[in-house]
Amino acid sequence: MAQQRVIRVSTEQPTCVVCVVGTEISLALSGCVPKGATYFDVHGTSGLRVKVIYNPELVTKPTGTPRWPLNSDVEVVVGINGPSRAVNDNKVRVSYCGPSGETLASAWLYLTCMAISLDADTSRSGVVQTSTTNKTKWTWGPDGEGAVLLVNCDRDGPSSGNTDNAYPYVRSHTDLQDMSLVILTTEGPAGISDNHTLLLQVSMFDAAKLRVFHAGGNASLSSYEHVLGSDKLSYTVECSGGKEQNSFFVEGLAFPDAGFDGLVSLNATLLEACGQNSPAIPVFSDTVVFRVAPWIMTPNILKPLEVFVCSIEERANNKNFLEAVRALAKEANCKLTVCPEVENRGDRWIQDEMEFGYVEAPHKMFPVVFDSPRNRELQDFPFKRILGPDFGYVTREPENGRVSSLDSFGNLEVSPPVTVKGKEYPLGRILIGSSFPRSGSRKMAKIVRDFLYAQKVQSPVELYSDWLLVGHVDEFVTFIPACDRKGFRLLLASPLACYKLFKEKQKEGYGEAALFEGLEGVERKTLDEILADETVYDDNKYAQSCIDWNRSILKRELGLSERDIIDIPQLFASKGGGAHAFFPDMVNMLVLGKHLAIPKPFGPIIGGQCCLEEKVRSLLEPLDLTCTFIDDFFSYHVWSGEVHCGTNVLREPFSFHWWNIVP
Amino acid sequence: MAQQRVIRVSTEQPTCVVCVVGTEISLALSGCVPKGATYFDVHGTSGLRVKVIYNPELVTKPTGTPRWPLNSDVEVVVGINGPSRAVNDNKVRVSYCGPSGETLASAWLYLTCMAISLDADTSRSGVVQTSTTNKTKWTWGPDGEGAVLLVNCDRDGPSSGNTDNAYPYVRSHTDLQDMSLVILTTEGPAGISDNHTLLLQVSMFDAAKLRVFHAGGNASLSSYEHVLGSDKLSYTVECSGGKEQNSFFVEGLAFPDAGFDGLVSLNATLLEACGQNSPAIPVFSDTVVFRVAPWIMTPNILKPLEVFVCSIEERANNKNFLEAVRALAKEANCKLTVCPEVENRGDRWIQDEMEFGYVEAPHKMFPVVFDSPRNRELQDFPFKRILGPDFGYVTREPENGRVSSLDSFGNLEVSPPVTVKGKEYPLGRILIGSSFPRSGSRKMAKIVRDFLYAQKVQSPVELYSDWLLVGHVDEFVTFIPACDRKGFRLLLASPLACYKLFKEKQKEGYGEAALFEGLEGVERKTLDEILADETVYDDNKYAQSCIDWNRSILKRELGLSERDIIDIPQLFASKGGGAHAFFPDMVNMLVLGKHLAIPKPFGPIIGGQCCLEEKVRSLLEPLDLTCTFIDDFFSYHVWSGEVHCGTNVLREPFSFHWWNIVP
């Protein structure tokens, strides 16, 4: 239904009204019916569409002279075809007639028509189409409509400082490119503005989520005026007549979150003055709805662009580890960025400090780092070193400052695209390690989980990771690319697979072969010793049960079958408080395309080869992947982490556009 | 997909497992394949369904002797038909065979099957069906499924005090009837509980929204133990064997609101012990989801049950008014409750203090008063006098305590059921008076608006009421029942209808007839004077424009046409700050079925009759309604309110069940 405005006519003087193209006028006729009138007739000039709406069960359409009965079963609606060339150039005449057809009086309506359209890139093509319809709803899917807003959380500069959207002015021309263009088109004769005002508006709630700049006439940055946002809820747009276009640039201030579904609206409202002492009142409103683009995570199967690793020189230096990662990054054609000790201050867990993702609008896309609330010595690195031109930054910290190990982002992963019982997740699903619901157990902070859930497009799955001392999902689960089937395999740490392997080797007569051979200061453990140790057995039966519970969740929530899963031999041990890897945790690997950097397990050497490495190679190399085993024993493993915990990867975004999802 | 659990078999000793009826076991065969084995065969005892799942493109189903290739393209899934009679009474044998068919080794799985089902009234019939499926989703509509929880916000007592859900114990047997029953059924052989624990659980978030009591063996209130809610997140349910049923009673603590969609879950989880030093791990979980029933408002067209009015004896006493309301309530067959001066403390605006609504579950329904945050002298009345047995109470107050006149509930109404562009609103839509979005304008408090929106089933429409001094929607809009068309009419205050009437009367020669005739101390105003007064004209042109803007919104958002609207003659005047009724505001009426209590307008007496009353009668009496004009001039009108502001009505709930909506 078109926007309708009720207008009352009078037989005493013409009623003059300004109306907007695309809307309708519902004529109220009963206000001035002359005595004795029973019928009416109505005519409009050519720029108008005059329709008489009646209930055919109650009213017979007049034939010959169009005379309509004067009662509430007949309504007159006037549509407007296009903007006026002069004030009052469209006219409607209502003739009131007596029973025998004689005209008793006439009422005139003079209409000045104006075109007003507030437009954004609602078709998601990258450019703004003007005079579009269906702007008030935002719909998902390939046939969906609705504009997209980016949180302007990068720092195009010019100088350092905060993210661009912390400043109520346009910082640079590149800053402008992160914003969404809105065009307000008006057309009408001069003279309307005497008693009409056109406002651009935002609601109090939305004003906290966006900021609008009005493009001035020239290219200088200072000509972009901050007109809406925060305490600025409305802005008067000058219309002097003729066809005019005002350009506005809109930036998002906040990501979708608990209590904010991501939708924000801008309104263009026409106000009509109504006497000297009365406030103006609204007579037309056009709305454009935006959805703030979600923060999207990138799974292991996406192409790696840049690897991050810390350089540690003091206690337990990682010199050799760093060189191994550097070599692999080179092979994988990835940039390597080393976070120097002066910045990492001895904190080597760069995986835990941050998670890379991105935001996308049809006109622009840039990566965004999510800074975890863990806040150890690497705390300043994401803001100081990652945030920059076209590289955004977001963080969430619980108000009480209380975080647990489960708030580290080694505990935040994302699956490749999956289809579950017919429901598609083309951007995969987020995996969060959580506790099995029990009083007092550790859980990722609500503020972080709320943020992740609110992004909507990678619907999170909560796994049970609290059985582990550190408690991160990357300690028992990872994904690797595969050229067949679903395009990936799920790798799960498997104590049983390890027992099976060790028993086989024992049976083959290698019971004396030992783990940790040649590692200085580390006690070697023979297969015979390990297989005879009941504590180790109990610990691993427990670990296997916990992983099996997660296996069921993963199969159900990612729609996987056993054939999508590969069991990687691994043993765990229990310290007070939870399980940890007994030898370097092989699933805790770095995935760079076809190159896997796997923690070197220091397993029993049999026939000159580590039997764990040999087993893993035999499982993964048939998938056309190369396995490089990297020694992280003293530099990471003994500190309760491995290769994955000590690295981080910026990856290419999905080619699939998030707005094409139907969540 | 049924819940699946991965179980690994061994050729060394039988694997003993407890499993749950309705779930499946995915057999991991690869862990103990004997050397040389290439095929396997699998058999189960009669209580089991053993299925071999394979990809027919890769695997050929064996004919004759069922021998399956040992690779990951073949999976074995075991379904469980019913509970075991004895421990380990179900068995599965996997035979590993060599290339020529000889059995090399066998692995045995011993299964003890247990039935576990957590059930609530998911079919919405008023009673709990056991062993239901589809409990984890809550769906709307006539075919929807999912249980309902009431916020136990009434006060069944025994004594006074707070609402029942403020107490962590069952207060009385009637208190129990407000709760939803949950039955946990278990069946299995004795002896399982040695290394298995069954927990009833709730998440940390949901624990703040509900409370669970466990029914003891007897009828005494003290036998109902508080087991879940607040800091109680899990409760161990004893299972000694055989078929057992545990009954739990669940009460809601919080209505849907911003940040709470109304959905809460209870889980029954089976834990398996896993060695002496390891925590138990989850092996099965059943979930039942509830939706907390929304608070529902009752429109004017519903049958009135009880009328509330204040007795004011001091300044501007309302003795006559009270008698008139009493007489009409009697005629309408309604109870009348008078709030005495000692309780109202001179505050006569009982409409503004509270709004009546109700909550409904399939097993129980009761009215709930929503106490407005306006907090004037009537502030304690809803809690002290309305809250009681089967009469609930809810309130929302902004944290900063700042409220405006728009937070009074004269500004909160609800339409009758409507259909808008094919979308049904079988419980009508809430109407909230708001400001036209402009900096600094008054708006209903966010916390109240959030609450109203979160109820979901009466999707609110925001009107523009801030143009009025008091700013309430009931100053210009009301609904009356009608036997034809949509079952109601929308009444709108109409300055133009009033001008038209007055001009007609002036033309007929009654220009000397006056408003306010006979009202002591009030200056009479003749029609000639009013029609010549340009300030009055400007004020009313403005008022009409504001009402017309609302008329457009109402037509669009309630799907109304002009024929659904009746214009009630009314004039407004402007004081500094906004408009108010020039003479008693007739749409501000009390609707009691077919009886309308309309503010007596004191219009010009023509031919012995007030021409305003005559006009209104001519508009409304054809709808089979009776109009009683009640003098509220000195008792309400001069204090900026009218009949509706001074009364409140408890109505019958809708017969339509809210869960049948598709919102």
Side-chain angles (χ1 to χ4, degrees), chain B residues 271-497:
Chain B
L271 293 181
E272 190 171 270
C274 199
Q276 281 194 318
N277 300 314
S278 307
I281 71 121
V283 294
F284 169 79
S285 194
D286 199 14
T287 300
V288 62
V289 180
F290 290 90
R291 184 179 290 278
V292 176
W295 178 77
I296 298 169
M297 287 177 62
T298 53
N300 279 352
I301 58 153
L302 291 175
K303 190 183 161 189
L305 299 173
E306 186 173 355
V307 178
F308 290 79
V309 63
C310 290
S311 163
I312 303 289
E313 282 159 42
E314 312 252 323
R315 206 177 57 158
N317 85 75
N318 70 343
K319 199 156 165 278
N320 294 337
F321 176 85
L322 210 156
E323 286 319 306
V325 170
R326 186 188 306 278
L328 200 77
K330 196 176 171 189
E331 252 185 283
N333 217 1
C334 273
K335 187 177 163 192
L336 181 83
T337 294
V338 177
C339 169
E341 186 125 19
V342 63
E343 283 172 8
N344 67 49
R345 297 177 292 177
D347 181 357
R348 67 196 72 206
W349 310 113
I350 199 162
Q351 175 69 225
D352 290 340
E353 184 53 41
M354 59 188 184
E355 185 75 36
F356 288 117
Y358 67 94
V359 293
E360 184 192 12
H363 66 285
K364 185 69 189 264
M365 168 148 79
F366 56 77
V368 174
V369 63
F370 185 10
D371 185 1
S372 100
R374 98 193 237 278
N375 291 347
R376 282 167 58 176
E377 291 80 359
L378 268 168
Q379 149 170 24
D380 298 335
F381 183 72
F383 189 84
K384 285 199 176 159
R385 297 293 160 209
I386 306 293
L387 170 62
D390 280 350
F391 211 126
Y393 173 91
V394 62
T395 189
R396 286 292 180 277
E397 297 199 19
E399 269 180 38
N400 60 15
R402 262 189 270 163
V403 292
S404 74
S405 172
L406 271 63
D407 290 302
S408 292
F409 286 172
N411 194 32
L412 172 63
E413 299 298 319
V414 64
S415 82
V418 290
T419 301
V420 187
K421 288 193 224 170
K423 174 155 180 56
E424 292 182 8
Y425 297 89
L427 305 174
R429 298 189 71 174
I430 289 172
L431 304 181
I432 299 170
S434 199
S435 64
F436 163 64
R438 206 161 26 180
S439 183
S441 300
R442 294 177 298 177
K443 231 177 161 122
M444 190 179 271
K446 185 170 184 307
I447 195 168
V448 177
R449 284 160 60 236
D450 280 350
F451 173 85
L452 295 170
Y453 278 91
Q455 305 314 306
K456 267 190 186 157
V457 295
Q458 298 180 303
S459 177
V461 175
E462 298 205 30
L463 296 177
Y464 171 35
S465 68
D466 190 34
W467 61 279
L468 288 150
L469 183 67
V470 172
H472 296 178
V473 286
D474 69 352
E475 296 178 77
F476 62 92
V477 57
T478 194
F479 296 91
I480 53 165
C483 42
D484 62 346
R485 294 183 50 79
K486 302 188 166 109
F488 69 87
R489 291 288 190 285
L490 166 66
L491 305 191
L492 286 175
S494 173
L496 267 166

Side-chain angles (χ1 to χ4, degrees), chain B residues 18 57 78 135 176 193 307 322-323 335 396 411 418 423 589 600 612 636 638:
Chain B
V18 170
E57 285 174 26
V78 181
K135 292 172 288 192
L176 264 187
S193 56
V307 178
L322 210 156
E323 286 319 306
K335 187 177 163 192
R396 286 292 180 277
N411 194 32
V418 290
K423 174 155 180 56
M589 63 176 65
K600 188 176 177 61
L612 287 167
Y636 292 87
V638 299

Side-chain angles (χ1 to χ4, degrees), chain A residues 348-639:
Chain A
R348 67 196 74 205
W349 311 113
I350 200 162
Q351 175 69 224
D352 289 341
E353 183 53 42
M354 59 187 186
E355 184 75 35
F356 289 116
Y358 68 94
V359 294
E360 185 192 11
H363 65 286
K364 184 70 189 264
M365 167 148 78
F366 57 77
V368 174
V369 64
F370 184 10
D371 186 0
S372 102
R374 100 192 236 278
N375 291 348
R376 281 166 62 176
E377 292 79 1
L378 268 167
Q379 149 168 22
D380 298 335
F381 183 72
F383 189 84
K384 285 198 177 159
R385 297 292 160 209
I386 306 294
L387 169 63
D390 280 350
F391 211 126
Y393 174 92
V394 63
T395 189
R396 287 292 180 276
E397 298 199 20
E399 270 181 35
N400 60 15
R402 262 190 271 164
V403 293
S404 74
S405 172
L406 272 63
D407 290 302
S408 291
F409 286 172
N411 194 31
L412 171 63
E413 297 299 319
V414 64
S415 82
V418 291
T419 301
V420 187
K421 289 193 223 171
K423 177 157 177 54
E424 293 182 10
Y425 297 90
L427 304 175
R429 297 189 71 176
I430 289 172
L431 303 180
I432 299 170
S434 198
S435 63
F436 165 64
R438 208 162 24 181
S439 182
S441 299
R442 294 177 298 176
K443 231 181 159 115
M444 191 180 270
K446 185 169 184 306
I447 195 168
V448 178
R449 285 160 60 237
D450 281 350
F451 174 84
L452 295 172
Y453 278 91
Q455 307 313 308
K456 268 191 185 155
V457 295
Q458 297 180 304
S459 177
V461 175
E462 299 206 28
L463 297 175
Y464 172 35
S465 68
D466 190 34
W467 62 279
L468 289 151
L469 183 68
V470 172
H472 295 177
V473 288
D474 69 352
E475 295 179 78
F476 61 93
V477 57
T478 194
F479 296 91
I480 53 164
C483 40
D484 62 346
R485 295 183 52 77
K486 302 191 166 103
F488 69 88
R489 291 289 190 284
L490 166 66
L491 304 191
L492 286 175
S494 172
L496 268 165
C498 193
Y499 264 91
K500 189 190 169 206
L501 178 70
F502 284 2
K503 280 185 191 165
E504 278 172 15
K505 297 301 172 193
Q506 190 185 43
K507 273 192 188 158
E508 290 167 13
Y510 301 108
E512 278 301 312
L515 276 161
F516 311 138
E517 203 84 72
L519 283 168
E520 201 179 334
V522 181
E523 198 186 341
R524 64 194 291 276
K525 291 264 183 193
T526 66
L527 290 182
D528 288 344
E529 283 167 351
I530 290 168
L531 292 172
D533 189 326
E534 282 187 27
T535 307
V536 172
Y537 180 77
D538 283 351
D539 286 353
N540 280 285
K541 198 178 153 212
Y542 169 65
Q544 187 65 57
S545 301
C546 294
I547 295 170
D548 281 348
W549 179 249
N550 285 303
R551 186 190 200 95
S552 306
I553 298 173
L554 286 161
K555 284 174 76 175
R556 188 170 67 239
E557 299 296 339
L558 302 183
L560 305 183
S561 76
E562 284 295 320
R563 283 162 283 165
D564 302 312
I565 304 176
I566 296 176
D567 289 308
I568 299 296
Q570 186 63 45
L571 292 186
F572 291 88
S574 277
K575 276 187 215 173
H580 66 282
F582 189 80
F583 55 79
D585 189 0
M586 291 188 285
V587 295
N588 196 283
M589 65 178 63
L590 168 67
V591 180
L592 299 178
K594 295 187 168 302
H595 301 271
L596 311 180
I598 305 173
K600 187 175 177 61
F602 290 95
I605 308 292
I606 292 169
Q609 267 209 316
C610 166
C611 68
L612 288 166
E613 291 185 23
E614 187 190 14
K615 180 69 185 172
V616 170
R617 277 188 209 281
S618 76
L619 292 167
L620 304 184
E621 284 179 355
L623 296 168
D624 198 19
L625 301 167
T626 63
C627 301
T628 306
F629 293 90
I630 295 186
D631 177 3
D632 70 355
F633 202 92
F634 293 111
S635 49
Y636 294 87
H637 172 69
V638 299
W639 308 101

Side-chain angles (χ1 to χ4, degrees), chain B residues 190-252:
Chain B
I192 292 176
S193 56
D194 295 352
N195 59 346
H196 286 81
T197 311
L198 186 58
L199 295 184
L200 192 70
Q201 302 178 303
V202 64
S203 75
M204 241 179 288
F205 183 76
D206 290 0
K209 311 296 182 194
L210 57 75
R211 195 181 281 123
V212 180
F213 299 96
H214 186 194
N218 60 61
S220 90
L221 289 177
S222 62
S223 76
Y224 290 87
E225 187 191 352
H226 172 212
V227 295
L228 292 183
S230 174
D231 56 342
K232 296 176 194 255
L233 302 184
S234 79
Y235 172 70
T236 303
V237 182
E238 302 297 334
C239 311
S240 47
K243 184 162 183 174
E244 294 172 281
Q245 283 202 330
N246 280 274
S247 292
F248 298 91
F249 288 85
V250 190
E251 66 179 359

